[in-house]
Amino acid sequence: MTLKTLLSAAAVLMGTAAFAQPKVIAHRGYWKTEGSAQNSITALHKADEIAAFGSEFDVWLTADKELVVNHDRVFAGTDINMEQDKFDRIRTIHLSNKEVIPSLDEYLKAGQYVDTRLVLEMKPLRDVSREKIAVKKIVKALRQYHLTDNTDFISFSLHACRLFHEKMPEVDVYYLNGDLTPQEILDHGFAGMDYSMGTYRKHPEWVKECHDLGLKVNVWTVNSEEDMRYFIDLGVDMITTNEPELLQRLLAEREEK
Ligand code: MG
């Protein structure tokens, strides 16, 4: 058991965990603000400027085995495919804020100078061997930039989560796909679950079960006030949202009460 797990287990025993406010994670960075764009380096800085606890972003492996930051497999409005095209072609893409689509290298370089936590999502790739290459490269890059203490790894790919955890056990892993129980998450050695709103609405008991096992709970993508209030009341540890400032306002109001 890690020190972190012990401390969170102690917090549960002392009853403090139940009253802790969830932490705010900006989904694809803070992009719904002037001059920003989804998964841009600006969006990382904007998340940091508003003191979001974390800033999430998505990572692909290109055809020539470079890592790039983008959400969709095919960049909207083009035929450029993150897995099938080479890095040089992908780099011709400009985001809506005119930034060139970032390499993971550039993103992590910027990540060295922010306080916001990096929530790195590795996209499921088309085969296991490519996932192995991507995990290896991500592990190397996190070491290179000394970011192991300020990064969480998330993925819909159980294979990628398991492999990453094996190679870099000091970094917390959260599984996204919604199909593992809290006990199964614990058995894989992950830090917690990061599931959709719909999954927790079906299994609200998983939040307490996770806490009882010393696991953390993150939920995505929570954008309306109503949903935010539901998940704050449910006692999740982190909320991933496209509206980080709205969530911060709601949490501040609750703090005052
Ligand atoms: Mg993502």
Side-chain angles (χ1 to χ4, degrees):
M1 189 182 267
T2 62
L3 178 63
K4 209 187 268 180
T5 319
L6 269 174
L7 287 174
S8 65
V12 170
L13 285 174
M14 289 158 68
T16 52
F19 303 107
Q21 294 259 50
K23 303 205 160 46
V24 178
I25 313 280
H27 181 237
R28 305 180 197 171
Y30 186 21
W31 55 272
K32 288 180 90 173
T33 183
E34 212 189 321
S36 195
Q38 292 188 13
N39 276 313
S40 64
I41 290 173
T42 304
L44 171 68
H45 286 136
K46 296 276 185 190
D48 194 47
E49 278 165 25
I50 62 162
F53 175 77
S55 187
E56 188 260 2
F57 58 101
D58 305 286
V59 175
W60 289 97
L61 185 73
T62 67
D64 51 346
K65 303 185 179 67
E66 296 292 333
L67 295 166
V68 287
V69 177
N70 188 55
H71 181 264
D72 295 339
R73 180 180 293 276
V74 176
F75 194 85
T78 73
D79 64 350
I80 301 180
N81 183 306
M82 299 299 138
E83 274 209 271
Q84 286 168 10
D85 277 296
K86 290 188 176 171
F87 184 69
D88 285 353
R89 178 158 196 245
I90 292 169
R91 293 279 277 182
T92 63
I93 295 171
H94 286 77
L95 308 179
S96 61
N97 68 344
K98 311 276 188 261
E99 225 177 272
V100 174
I101 193 168
S103 64
L104 180 67
D105 203 56
E106 288 168 340
Y107 202 94
L108 296 184
K109 262 182 205 161
Q112 293 178 104
Y113 305 104
V114 296
D115 293 319
T116 192
R117 204 166 171 75
L118 305 182
V119 181
L120 187 161
E121 176 178 351
M122 184 184 133
K123 288 294 182 190
L125 303 176
R126 58 168 191 262
D127 61 59
V128 164
S129 66
R130 282 175 54 78
E131 288 197 344
K132 276 189 189 159
I133 295 165
V135 165
K136 205 170 157 192
K137 289 179 83 98
I138 291 168
V139 164
K140 194 175 162 201
L142 292 178
R143 287 229 168 88
Q144 182 187 344
Y145 293 110
H146 306 289
L147 283 166
T148 52
D149 287 346
N150 199 39
T151 303
D152 294 331
F153 179 92
I154 64 175
S155 189
F156 282 95
S157 163
L158 183 56
H159 172 259
C161 285
R162 287 176 53 114
L163 196 63
F164 183 89
H165 177 61
E166 190 189 304
K167 303 253 178 246
M168 197 163 238
E170 67 270 38
V171 170
D172 284 348
V173 171
Y174 292 83
Y175 178 60
L176 293 168
N177 204 37
D179 57 340
L180 295 181
T181 64
Q183 186 61 50
E184 288 166 334
I185 293 283
L186 183 73
D187 293 343
H188 282 298
F190 302 155
M193 52 176 57
D194 185 355
Y195 289 173
S196 69
M197 290 196 281
T199 308
Y200 296 119
R201 283 190 186 273
K202 247 184 265 166
H203 292 286
E205 75 284 2
W206 280 0
V207 176
K208 185 176 181 303
E209 280 178 42
C210 277
H211 290 160
D212 288 347
L213 293 170
L215 299 170
K216 295 248 177 66
V217 176
N218 191 345
V219 54
W220 49 270
T221 305
V222 186
N223 298 327
S224 75
E225 266 195 52
E226 191 193 342
D227 288 332
M228 286 174 183
R229 289 183 201 284
Y230 174 84
F231 284 101
I232 294 167
D233 289 340
L234 197 59
V236 300
D237 304 287
M238 287 161 274
I239 294 179
T240 302
T241 177
N242 292 331
E243 303 286 354
E245 289 198 287
L246 171 63
L247 179 54
Q248 286 176 329
R249 272 200 301 279
L250 285 188
L251 291 170
E253 278 167 27
R254 294 201 162 208
E255 198 89 340
E256 281 163 20
K257 277 179 194 164

